[in-house]
Amino acid sequence: MKMSNPPPVPSPSDSCAYLLQTSLKNKDPFAGRSVHAQIIKSGLHFGLFLTNNLMNFYAKSEFLDDARRVFDEMPEKNTSSWNTILSMYAKQGFVDTAHRLFREIPERDSVSWTAMIVGYNRTRRFVDAVQLYVDMLSERVLPTQYTLTNVLASCAAVKALSVGRKIHSSVVKLGLSSCVSVANSLLNMYAKSGDKMTAEMVFDRIKLKNTSSWNVMLSMHMLSGHVDLALAQFDRMEERDIISWNSMIAGFNQHGHDAKTMDVFSRMLKDRSLKPDKFTLGSVLSACANLENLRLGKEIHAYMVKCVFDTSNAVQNALISMYAKSGEVETARQIVEKCGSSNLDIIAFTALLDGYVKLGDIHPARQIFDLQMERDVVTWTAMIVGYVQNGLNDDAIEIFKRMLREGPRPNSYTLAVMLSVSASLASLNYGKQIHANAIRTRESSSVSVSNALINMYAKSGNINDARKVFGLVHENRDTVSWTSMVIALAQHGLGEDALELFEKMLALGIKPDHITYVGVLSACTHIGLVEQGRRYYDRMRHTDKIEPTPSHYACMIDLYARAGLLYEAQRFIESMPIEPDVIAWGSLLASCRVYKNVELAKFAAEKLLIIDPDNSGAYSALANLFMVCGKWEDAAKVRKSMKDRGVKKEQGTSWVQIRNEIHVFGVEDGLHPQKDAIYKTIDKIWKEIKKMGFVPDIESVMHDLEEEVKEQILRHHSEKLAIAFGLLNTPENTTLRIMKNLRVCNDCHSAIKYIAKLVGREIVVRDSTRFHHFRDGTCSCRDYW
């Protein structure tokens, strides 16, 4: 009987190598070190095979110093030895150390080159990875599949399309086109580099498409905004993983299709093999926030609590945004306090801030702002906008100044908001400072800043600088730019210029909007172009298909009424498809006073007081009209009715800004520190302009007083006192800008024309309806106001 040969006995080196691999597999470093000790005792540590295994054990166990010590003590090294230590440093992110070793390798093979490319790719040094691949080809070393997938990932990251195409050629030459991992890498490179056509071609040629192949296409379509293509691709997929679902959910959310986000999420929940992860929930909560769907948002929150979901910062912030945008600001605040404000991102903070702003409670928002360790330009701007929306302009200015000192550089939106603050305060000096900042930061050419500058200069009384800004915008002009300039010109009494600009706008094919037409109709109103105003109103409705708003109706009523067509204005009011508002009846009433139409004035006042019983302007206008017409008893009845109802007449005030300080004056004001000099100046001016031919309009004083007393009251109107103060405190030949809360009276309007000629200055007065530019004895309104 023939005996079988006994199995071969493994050598001591093979046994030790086996034990090292077992220790590595079991993640037992102590056992591995014991094997190392045994190797030394047995004198086996000089063998190349076993030493390479020992170094591999330490490298993969992440004992870098031990691996390097074994490498340095090796009496003999081969390419595998060098590649092991090189790969260890590269994978651990020590690519500079790896590169020094790479240059020392006597013979570099594809593994050596690939290890370095992988290291550069993992540390996001993509350009270095691509360059190394180019050097590898020049050394005539053939890449492996692993080399190609990594270098293609680097090309995708930096959109190195030209290099990627050359790699594609190499893939074809090497016969690796059918390799799914390489094909997917090519597909990803073309998709992220923007070559959609080639990406689709590569995708179509992949015979064995896996889920990753489809996911790349989904991502590409979503990134380019072709959500319908992405959905069609998604529906064709036989197998979907969490990445597939997240691509669709996040894509729809990012492109504003929040309802579709919720639809896809609902479909995902029906697939019981998958559970939403932090990326899913972050996108879905964002969609809930945008939709202000508190009910569904709460259900998702409950799911997170029930499943003890390990939420990331992103999910927590999405949860905060959802509650804040849906009106439950305090719940959002509680989550912030629980999670810590240090983890609060900009989107969540802004949502929380907006939530408090909507509630009109800015104090908690400021507390959160002050707790933020890192604030970007969005955070600062959100805080500024919050103050502005709550009418806290001084606080907005304070925090903007702080932003300039210690925060990031303001962007175009920040500057536009601050310019709107300057416009509302009519603060030309402050507005000019912001303009200078915009020029320094190169934001002045942006459309939003340019439009805000036009508005600021116009509302601050400087129409020339508004024109200069408009002239510099050129190709960046949009409808808002043209509209802002049209309205500015109309408000400054330059109606013909406003209409000429509007016609130029139309000739250039720029479509006007409803606000543009408010400016156009206002321009017609201020210069009495009734027929032209009618034509523009008809064009707005029939050519541009813009439905009139209350503002358009008010402009048309004002257009007719100012021109003395009072009954036509009344008929227009009665034909309106909406109920007339306070402005409509107020315009008619004001013109009835000018044209002394008592009956229609009584009718307009009655209608106005039904809407607003405490409107002091209606009582005053009617009482003044009765007095002008000599109906003293009727005037007395109106004033008694006003007194009985507790309605107080709004007091006229005027103000002027000198060296960033605002000085306010009332009629017969005796509180200003310079009152003696002011009254002395105005008395002197009064005598001089009377010599020039000025006649006081004593009928403007609606009281039964001596003429001398009436004249004194007129002399001490608030705008005249403000002008006297301005003349005392500003250099000669400079423009004087006065603001007034009410419509300028007839006497003041006439007097200021004479004053402007007397002092040789331009005096700009902004009243409640428009700007008056007084120069050389004339006014820009041509006495039609």
Side-chain angles (χ1 to χ4, degrees):
M1 183 177 176
K2 189 176 180 181
M3 300 290 293
S4 60
N5 294 326
V9 178
S11 68
S13 292
D14 289 338
S15 298
C16 289
Y18 174 77
L19 291 172
L20 284 170
Q21 291 168 9
T22 303
S23 301
L24 186 62
K25 184 178 179 181
N26 295 334
K27 297 181 180 179
D28 188 350
F30 180 76
R33 289 186 183 278
S34 298
V35 174
H36 187 179
Q38 187 63 38
I39 290 170
I40 294 172
K41 286 180 183 179
S42 305
L44 300 173
H45 55 289
F46 296 110
L48 182 60
F49 168 73
L50 192 54
T51 311
N52 277 345
N53 271 272
L54 186 61
M55 183 171 52
N56 182 63
F57 161 74
Y58 280 126
K60 289 185 177 177
S61 299
E62 298 185 8
F63 294 113
L64 276 64
D65 292 340
D66 292 310
R68 182 60 187 262
R69 192 176 299 111
V70 171
F71 176 78
D72 290 340
E73 292 174 356
M74 290 177 69
E76 180 187 358
K77 301 180 182 74
N78 60 8
T79 304
S80 178
S81 313
W82 286 94
N83 286 344
T84 299
I85 199 72
L86 175 68
S87 179
M88 176 190 76
Y89 281 122
K91 287 181 179 178
Q92 291 298 319
F94 299 102
V95 288
D96 292 329
T97 304
H99 189 68
R100 285 195 293 271
L101 285 167
F102 179 75
R103 287 189 305 219
E104 295 175 18
I105 299 176
E107 294 182 15
R108 294 188 287 247
D109 61 7
S110 63
V111 177
S112 316
W113 290 90
T114 302
M116 279 307 304
I117 290 170
V118 170
Y120 281 135
N121 198 32
R122 288 188 176 183
T123 53
R124 304 187 66 79
R125 290 172 60 173
F126 304 117
V127 175
D128 290 332
V130 174
Q131 183 57 52
L132 199 66
Y133 176 78
V134 174
D135 296 341
M136 176 183 178
L137 295 183
S138 67
E139 294 277 335
R140 299 185 181 279
V141 179
L142 289 178
T144 64
Q145 294 179 17
Y146 193 44
T147 319
L148 293 168
T149 55
N150 275 275
V151 76
L152 283 168
S154 293
C155 289
V158 294
K159 295 182 173 61
L161 186 59
S162 59
V163 178
R165 284 181 174 141
K166 291 175 182 176
I167 297 170
H168 192 175
S169 298
S170 299
V171 168
V172 175
K173 289 176 183 176
L174 293 168
L176 295 173
S177 300
S178 59
C179 176
V180 178
S181 61
V182 176
N184 283 346
S185 296
L186 276 169
L187 177 61
N188 181 60
M189 184 275 297
Y190 281 118
K192 289 186 176 175
S193 300
D195 190 347
K196 286 184 61 184
M197 187 177 295
T198 309
E200 289 173 349
M201 181 188 72
V202 171
F203 178 76
D204 291 338
R205 289 180 179 178
I206 300 174
K207 293 181 179 179
L208 298 173
K209 299 178 180 69
N210 60 14
T211 307
S212 296
S213 314
W214 290 91
N215 287 345
V216 172
M217 295 301 289
L218 292 182
S219 178
M220 181 183 75
H221 289 315
M222 279 299 185
L223 283 172
S224 59
H226 296 116
V227 293
D228 292 336
L229 286 176
L231 184 59
Q233 204 96 41
F234 180 77
D235 289 336
R236 287 173 56 198
M237 293 177 68
E238 294 181 3
E239 293 183 10
R240 307 182 185 103
D241 59 12
I242 190 67
I243 297 172
S244 316
W245 289 99
N246 284 346
S247 293
M248 296 302 298
I249 290 169
F252 278 131
N253 174 233
Q254 289 164 5
H255 288 288
H257 300 284
D258 297 302
K260 288 184 178 179
T261 300
M262 306 312 299
D263 290 340
V264 176
F265 178 62
S266 178
R267 286 175 61 185
M268 178 185 176
L269 294 179
K270 294 174 183 177
D271 185 350
R272 297 187 178 181
S273 63
L274 288 172
K275 288 186 177 180
D277 62 9
K278 61 183 181 181
F279 300 107
T280 322
L281 295 179
S283 297
V284 173
L285 285 168
S286 174
C288 289
N290 295 335
L291 294 168
E292 297 184 10
N293 191 332
L294 182 60
R295 180 188 60 78
L296 188 54
K298 282 184 172 181
E299 288 178 7
I300 295 168
H301 191 186
Y303 169 83
M304 290 160 58
V305 173
K306 181 181 177 182
C307 298
V308 195
F309 196 86
D310 184 19
T311 56
S312 64
N313 289 344
V315 177
Q316 288 171 357
N317 280 294
L319 198 59
I320 292 163
S321 296
M322 184 278 296
Y323 277 114
K325 286 186 177 182
S326 301
E328 290 211 3
V329 188
E330 282 307 311
T331 304
R333 177 67 179 265
Q334 289 168 14
I335 297 171
V336 172
E337 291 172 351
K338 182 179 179 182
C339 301
S341 61
S342 60
N343 295 325
L344 192 63
D345 71 6
I346 302 305
I347 296 173
F349 168 76
T350 306
L352 198 54
L353 177 60
D354 287 344
Y356 279 115
V357 167
K358 286 177 182 176
L359 296 175
D361 191 357
I362 204 72
H363 181 64
R366 180 59 186 265
Q367 287 180 323
I368 295 168
F369 175 84
D370 290 336
L371 287 172
Q372 285 289 94
M373 297 301 293
E374 295 183 11
R375 310 182 190 100
D376 71 355
V377 67
V378 178
T379 313
W380 285 91
T381 304
M383 194 69 243
I384 290 168
V385 170
Y387 279 129
V388 173
Q389 289 179 349
N390 280 271
L392 303 170
N393 288 332
D394 290 342
D395 292 293
I397 292 170
E398 174 267 324
I399 204 161
F400 177 69
K401 288 179 178 177
R402 184 178 159 193
M403 180 185 184
L404 294 178
R405 290 194 307 270
E406 61 188 67
R409 192 175 77 179
N411 62 15
S412 59
Y413 185 60
T414 322
L415 295 171
V417 171
M418 291 312 301
L419 285 167
S420 73
V421 172
S422 302
S424 65
L425 297 173
S427 177
L428 183 59
N429 291 340
Y430 191 62
K432 283 183 173 180
Q433 291 173 27
I434 299 171
H435 190 178
N437 183 285
I439 292 170
R440 284 196 301 272
T441 56
R442 299 182 180 179
E443 295 284 1
S444 59
S445 60
S446 77
V447 176
S448 59
V449 172
S450 297
N451 293 344
L453 281 168
I454 293 168
N455 186 50
M456 183 276 295
Y457 279 120
K459 287 189 175 178
S460 300
N462 194 333
I463 191 65
N464 290 331
D465 280 350
R467 278 176 147 164
K468 286 177 185 176
V469 173
F470 181 76
L472 291 171
V473 180
H474 293 304
E475 69 276 1
N476 290 331
R477 291 174 185 162
D478 60 1
T479 301
V480 177
S481 311
W482 290 87
T483 299
S484 299
M485 200 64 234
V486 167
I487 290 174
L489 291 168
Q491 288 178 334
H492 284 264
L494 302 169
E496 290 93 343
D497 292 356
L499 298 180
E500 183 182 336
L501 189 67
F502 177 66
E503 290 294 343
K504 185 177 180 181
M505 175 183 176
L506 295 178
L508 291 171
I510 299 168
K511 187 175 175 60
D513 60 17
H514 67 285
I515 301 174
T516 318
Y517 274 107
V518 171
V520 170
L521 295 174
S522 177
C524 293
T525 297
H526 287 314
I527 53 178
L529 296 178
V530 177
E531 288 306 316
Q532 199 161 343
R534 280 175 173 151
R535 287 199 300 272
Y536 283 130
Y537 181 74
D538 290 339
R539 176 193 168 88
M540 177 187 76
R541 294 171 61 208
H542 303 303
T543 304
D544 291 315
K545 307 297 182 184
I546 296 173
E547 283 298 314
T549 67
S551 296
H552 298 120
Y553 293 131
C555 285
M556 291 302 294
I557 295 163
D558 208 21
L559 175 68
Y560 292 129
R562 282 175 185 264
L565 304 172
L566 301 179
Y567 290 105
E568 191 159 351
Q570 182 186 5
R571 285 194 295 273
F572 185 89
I573 290 174
E574 291 168 349
S575 68
M576 285 162 50
I578 62 171
E579 284 295 320
D581 59 11
V582 170
I583 297 173
W585 291 116
S587 295
L588 182 58
L589 176 58
S591 294
C592 286
R593 177 190 167 189
V594 173
Y595 291 100
K596 299 180 181 179
N597 188 322
V598 175
E599 292 306 313
L600 191 54
K602 288 168 67 175
F603 177 75
E606 182 183 331
K607 293 289 186 179
L608 195 158
L609 291 171
I610 290 173
I611 303 170
D612 183 7
D614 297 325
N615 191 296
S616 62
Y619 288 104
S620 297
L622 194 57
N624 291 344
L625 175 57
F626 283 140
M627 285 189 285
V628 168
C629 296
K631 296 178 178 291
W632 299 101
E633 290 184 9
D634 290 334
K637 288 178 183 178
V638 173
R639 292 197 180 280
K640 184 177 185 303
S641 175
M642 185 177 179
K643 185 178 179 180
D644 292 343
R645 291 190 62 88
V647 178
K648 292 185 178 180
K649 180 183 176 182
E650 185 179 1
Q651 296 300 310
T653 57
S654 299
W655 60 96
V656 58
Q657 185 176 27
I658 307 291
R659 289 183 288 278
N660 292 326
E661 186 176 352
I662 295 173
H663 299 262
V664 183
F665 298 89
V667 179
E668 298 281 356
D669 199 312
L671 299 176
H672 198 278
Q674 289 182 251
K675 62 181 183 297
D676 292 338
I678 292 169
Y679 280 102
K680 186 177 179 180
T681 300
I682 197 63
D683 288 346
K684 182 180 178 181
I685 288 173
W686 193 258
K687 290 176 183 176
E688 292 295 326
I689 62 175
K690 286 180 75 174
K691 290 178 184 177
M692 295 168 65
F694 168 68
V695 178
D697 182 12
I698 57 175
E699 288 188 1
S700 293
V701 181
M702 303 300 177
H703 298 283
D704 189 11
L705 301 169
E706 295 292 331
E707 284 194 11
E708 186 178 338
V709 178
K710 286 185 176 183
E711 189 172 317
Q712 180 181 322
I713 292 172
L714 291 173
R715 188 163 67 245
H716 297 159
H717 271 191
S718 64
E719 50 264 64
K720 295 188 183 88
L721 297 178
I723 289 170
F725 171 77
L727 292 172
L728 286 168
N729 292 277
T730 57
E732 291 184 6
N733 301 318
T734 58
T735 300
L736 197 60
R737 292 181 171 84
I738 309 297
M739 308 296 163
K740 183 174 173 64
N741 66 327
L742 302 177
R743 183 176 177 271
V744 65
C745 76
N746 292 339
D747 183 79
C748 284
H749 192 270
S750 177
I752 298 171
K753 287 193 290 183
Y754 281 93
I755 295 171
K757 188 172 184 178
L758 174 70
V759 299
R761 293 215 214 176
E762 180 183 8
I763 301 174
V764 181
V765 177
R766 188 186 84 175
D767 68 8
S768 58
T769 58
R770 66 183 299 167
F771 283 87
H772 298 265
H773 291 255
F774 297 93
R775 190 188 296 111
D776 297 326
T778 62
C779 178
S780 58
C781 74
R782 302 172 191 174
D783 299 336
Y784 188 86
W785 91 103

